[in-house]
Amino acid sequence: MNDNQRMASEILERIGGMENVSNVMHCVTRLRFTLKDQSLADTKAVEAVKGVVGVKVQNGQYQVIIGQKVGDVYAETLKLGNFEGESVEEKPAASDKEKQGFQLKKVGAAMIDGIVSSIVPALPILIGGGMFKVIAMLLLKGGMMQPDNSTYLILLNIGEASFYFLPVFIGINAAKKFHASISMSALVCAFLLLPAFANGVADGTINTVFGLPITKANYPSTVLPSIMIVWVLAKVEAALKKVIPEILRTVLLPTLTLLIMVPVAITAIGPLGVILGNYMAAGLMFVYNKFGFIGMGIMGALRPLLIFTGMHTSLMPFAIGTLSETGYEPFFLVTGMGYVFGSGFACLAVALKCKAAENKASAFTCAITALLGGVTEPSLYGILMKYKRPLIAVICGGFASGCYFGLTHTYAYAMVGSTGIFGIPALIGPTSANLVNGLIALAISCAVSFVITLVLGFDENAEVK
């Protein structure tokens, strides 16, 4: 049994066994379980598994923090649990439903869980596409290719495709989460992007369906419409299965599902999703425009706390929407980079001051994981929150770098996946000043976090409380 198999086996055993798992997926650093009965999970035992950084229970998920090898452990978890995909059938016991009842807090957690579960699996697509957009921009700016070069256009369009068809990718992930038909979900979401439909709505030749008015909306690169549509589609399919005789389901189920869902999607749910997404993105931009560099500083300072509560992932749809709509993202991605670099240098300061070899090695490893991999859960839970004062230093560094990002109007022009060193190409924009100011902002975060950690010091024998 290799190390990944061992971890998967021990984690499954200590969360109540595979029978207690109703849904499993992973993000960049965490295994995310939805458990049928969370009381069966022995959190202390899970945290004691060698290789596990910590455990967080939030948004209805039991999250086991592992780090960069989470994908390998996830693969072994699927094998051991005999799971076929990113989720398994979720059927809570009736007694569980009765105990839970209706709680507004749980409704909110379920909404966040639905959004996160639909977006996180699509991140590799956005990362890969973002990198191709950066590569195309570098080739063009470096004079190695011209705008009409066929290879350049292919590279650019690979990046464009990852954002343009995002609603379809999100719809597929949402179908897995909400237990809807993947093919029907993908088809309804793809219909929203069909050029004949989009052009017809734009020029007015397509304006009603069954007498219902069609609201104009721009669906490429959107996130919320697909999630909302597929959630309703899952309910419609479930209702249709109850009334359609089994012998007729092969023909009638997909036909009636489309007959109901396409009109509902283009007249109500889709436009509503676009409107909500626009308002939420506008809310972030309002903070950016209203409070200027101070607002940026606050976002930079709050970043470790957003990650601790899981709220940072909930803001991802609006960052994606802003990036696809304007070509740049001024708020979320850059302050994230400031936090990651500050976290890495605070850990380096801890490694420098620690006396115990084991603590030095742990802090240094967390620093490298943050700076090279852009992954900060190990540093956040293993160093910053453990010693506390380095966390204060990182908050100060995030505020200082965020203010500089805001003062200089420095933006991210691509989503390249990493917010560490390999994320720096995202700062390459129309002018060289964007990259220069971005590097200065990151240097500010590093310097402030490093120096304040050294000045404040910390208790090397501290434990997480």
Side-chain angles (χ1 to χ4, degrees), residues 15-336:
I15 62 173
M18 66 185 72
E19 300 83 6
N20 194 34
V21 178
S22 61
N23 182 281
V24 58
M25 59 176 288
H26 76 91
C27 58
V28 179
T29 59
R30 308 182 187 193
L31 275 178
R32 295 170 175 257
F33 294 96
T34 300
L35 302 181
K36 296 175 183 177
D37 185 352
Q38 287 195 5
S39 67
L40 296 179
D42 187 341
T43 297
K44 288 188 177 179
V46 175
E47 290 176 332
V49 173
K50 185 178 179 182
V52 170
V53 176
V55 172
K56 283 285 294 179
V57 181
Q58 60 187 33
N59 300 333
Q61 290 183 332
Y62 192 88
Q63 303 177 8
V64 181
I65 305 164
I66 294 174
Q68 289 178 294
K69 62 186 296 185
V70 66
D72 297 326
V73 178
Y74 167 74
E76 296 300 334
T77 302
L78 291 185
K79 293 177 185 177
L80 290 173
N82 236 0
F83 306 143
E84 294 182 356
E86 296 190 1
S87 64
V88 292
E89 191 65 21
E90 185 173 356
K91 294 181 179 178
S95 59
D96 291 338
K97 292 181 180 178
E98 291 171 4
K99 286 189 293 184
Q100 290 175 1
F102 176 84
Q103 294 182 22
L104 188 60
K105 181 179 178 181
K106 290 185 177 180
V107 172
M111 291 173 62
I112 293 174
D113 182 38
I115 294 173
V116 171
S117 299
S118 302
I119 293 174
V120 169
L123 289 181
I125 296 170
L126 296 175
I127 292 168
M131 284 303 299
F132 269 92
K133 294 181 76 170
V134 169
I135 292 170
M137 185 184 298
L138 289 173
L139 291 173
L140 188 64
K141 284 187 167 295
M144 291 174 277
M145 289 187 180
Q146 298 301 312
D148 59 352
N149 182 280
S150 178
T151 300
Y152 163 77
L153 292 173
I154 290 293
L155 296 176
L156 178 64
N157 285 327
I158 291 174
E160 296 291 346
S162 66
F163 284 88
Y164 184 89
F165 293 106
L166 185 60
V168 178
F169 307 139
I170 295 294
I172 291 172
N173 296 330
K176 295 177 181 178
K177 173 62 182 175
F178 301 129
H179 310 296
S181 164
I182 293 177
S183 56
M184 287 296 99
S185 300
L187 178 55
V188 174
C189 294
F191 178 82
L192 301 176
L193 306 177
L194 185 69
F197 167 70
N199 294 336
V201 172
D203 63 26
T205 56
I206 298 178
N207 50 47
T208 63
V209 56
F210 300 132
L212 299 172
I214 298 173
T215 304
K216 291 183 179 180
N218 188 32
Y219 294 107
S221 306
T222 57
V223 172
L224 286 182
S226 295
I227 297 174
M228 295 168 64
I229 287 169
V230 173
W231 182 78
V232 174
L233 187 148
K235 306 297 183 185
V236 170
E237 278 189 328
L240 289 174
K241 286 178 181 178
K242 293 180 180 179
V243 299
I244 299 175
E246 191 169 345
I247 193 172
L248 298 176
R249 281 186 188 174
T250 302
V251 174
L252 291 185
L253 183 59
T255 303
L256 292 179
T257 298
L258 289 174
L259 185 63
I260 294 170
M261 283 308 305
V262 170
V264 170
I266 62 179
T267 61
I269 305 174
L272 178 61
V274 171
I275 291 169
L276 288 175
N278 289 341
Y279 271 114
M280 291 177 180
L284 284 180
M285 293 304 295
F286 172 79
V287 173
Y288 173 72
N289 293 323
K290 183 72 174 177
F291 300 101
F293 71 94
I294 297 296
M296 290 285 287
I298 292 172
M299 175 60 82
L302 291 177
R303 193 52 167 261
L305 305 180
L306 291 176
I307 291 176
F308 176 72
T309 59
M311 291 177 62
H312 67 297
T313 311
S314 303
L315 295 174
M316 186 66 73
F318 319 123
I320 295 171
T322 303
L323 183 62
S324 60
E325 185 73 24
T326 64
Y328 61 86
E329 201 285 314
F331 198 69
F332 182 74
L333 298 176
V334 290
T335 53

Side-chain angles (χ1 to χ4, degrees), residues 333-348 367 370-372 374-376 379 394 397-398 401 405 418-425 427 438-439 441-450:
L333 298 176
V334 290
T335 53
M337 292 181 69
Y339 158 66
V340 168
F341 276 77
S343 172
F345 270 76
C347 289
L348 287 177
L371 294 172
L372 292 183
V375 177
T376 59
S379 62
V394 171
S401 64
F405 276 123
S418 173
T419 44
I421 290 174
F422 295 105
I424 290 176
L427 298 172
L439 293 174
L442 296 180
I444 290 173
S445 180
C446 294
V448 172
S449 300
F450 185 84

